[in-house]
């Protein structure tokens, strides 16, 4: 089809309307892209970098009023579309380290187990490791813990994969 590759390229670039441009759109405002609030999100994090602002302490634009104009939400609460940034602001560096430790630890343990064991348990562990890794990466582009269904599914997949390690005979060097 003529123009298919050019259309895909234009959809992914920083041009107006492209996916990359949308990720940086409306910095500091409600409905901003997942990468647009990195700069504005680091300012409140710098006030309490180790422990964060606390869960439930929402970041606002600082303006008063409830009028919503065509280009700006006045007095709106800013919800980050980047779970890593949201965790950094609300729980601080310790919260990010704990979250990354659980995700990366589960990923590496299941990946190592899948390489050393053969059979259905290996396939299950590899599938769970892939899902855990994809969830960790996807946390950069949506507020994953705000969606209870995705959080419960993530922990269920991690629990199933980690439990598969305990069932049956284990390799001697694991």
């Amino acid at each position: 089809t003529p123009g298919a590759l050019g259309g895909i390229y234009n959809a992914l670039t920083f041009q107006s309307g492209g996916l990359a441009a949308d990720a940086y759109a409306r910095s500091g405002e409600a409905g901003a892209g997942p990468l647009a609030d990195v700069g504005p999100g680091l300012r409140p994090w710098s006030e309490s970098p180790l422990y964060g602002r606390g869960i439930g302490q929402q970041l606002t634009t600082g303006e008063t009023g409830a009028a919503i104009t065509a280009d700006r939400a006045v007095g709106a609460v800013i919800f980050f579309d980047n779970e890593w940034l949201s965790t950094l602001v609300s729980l601080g560096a310790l919260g990010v380290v704990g979250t990354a430790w659980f995700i990366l630890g589960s990923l590496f343990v299941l990946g190592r187990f899948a390489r050393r064991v053969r059979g259905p348990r290996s396939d299950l562990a590899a599938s769970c490791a892939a899902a855990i890794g994809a969830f960790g990466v996807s946390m950069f582009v949506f507020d994953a813990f705000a969606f209870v269904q995705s959080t419960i599914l993530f922990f269920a997949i991690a629990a199933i994969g980690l439990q598969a390690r305990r069932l049956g005979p284990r390799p001697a060097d694991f």
Side-chain angles (χ1 to χ4, degrees):
T1 57
L5 293 178
I8 292 171
Y9 172 78
N10 290 334
L12 297 175
T13 60
F14 285 98
Q15 298 175 0
S16 178
L19 291 176
D22 287 344
Y24 290 99
R26 299 173 48 97
S27 176
E29 298 180 10
L35 301 176
D37 286 330
V38 172
L42 292 178
R43 282 191 293 274
W45 170 71
S46 66
E47 296 169 5
S48 180
L50 192 58
Y51 300 111
R53 297 171 56 99
I55 295 175
Q57 300 295 319
Q58 298 298 328
L59 181 65
T60 64
T61 59
E63 300 175 15
T64 59
I68 296 177
T69 61
D71 63 337
R72 183 174 186 135
V74 179
V77 174
I78 299 174
F79 294 104
F80 297 118
D81 280 342
N82 181 334
E83 185 59 45
W84 290 108
L85 180 62
S86 179
T87 302
L88 183 67
V89 170
S90 63
L91 299 176
L94 289 177
V96 170
V97 167
T99 304
W101 173 76
F102 183 79
I103 291 173
L104 292 175
S106 300
L107 176 69
F108 291 139
V109 164
L110 289 174
R112 188 174 63 221
F113 179 75
R115 283 192 310 260
R116 293 194 174 142
V117 174
R118 299 290 175 240
R121 288 190 313 143
S122 173
D123 296 341
L124 177 63
S127 300
C128 290
I132 289 169
F135 184 80
V137 170
S138 72
M139 288 172 58
F140 283 107
V141 293
F142 86 108
D143 48 344
F145 294 152
F147 295 96
V148 176
Q149 301 90 336
S150 66
T151 305
I152 290 173
L153 188 61
F154 163 70
F155 282 111
I157 289 171
I160 289 169
L162 293 170
Q163 187 64 23
R165 288 179 53 232
R166 298 181 58 201
L167 300 175
R170 298 178 64 170
D173 61 339
F174 189 69

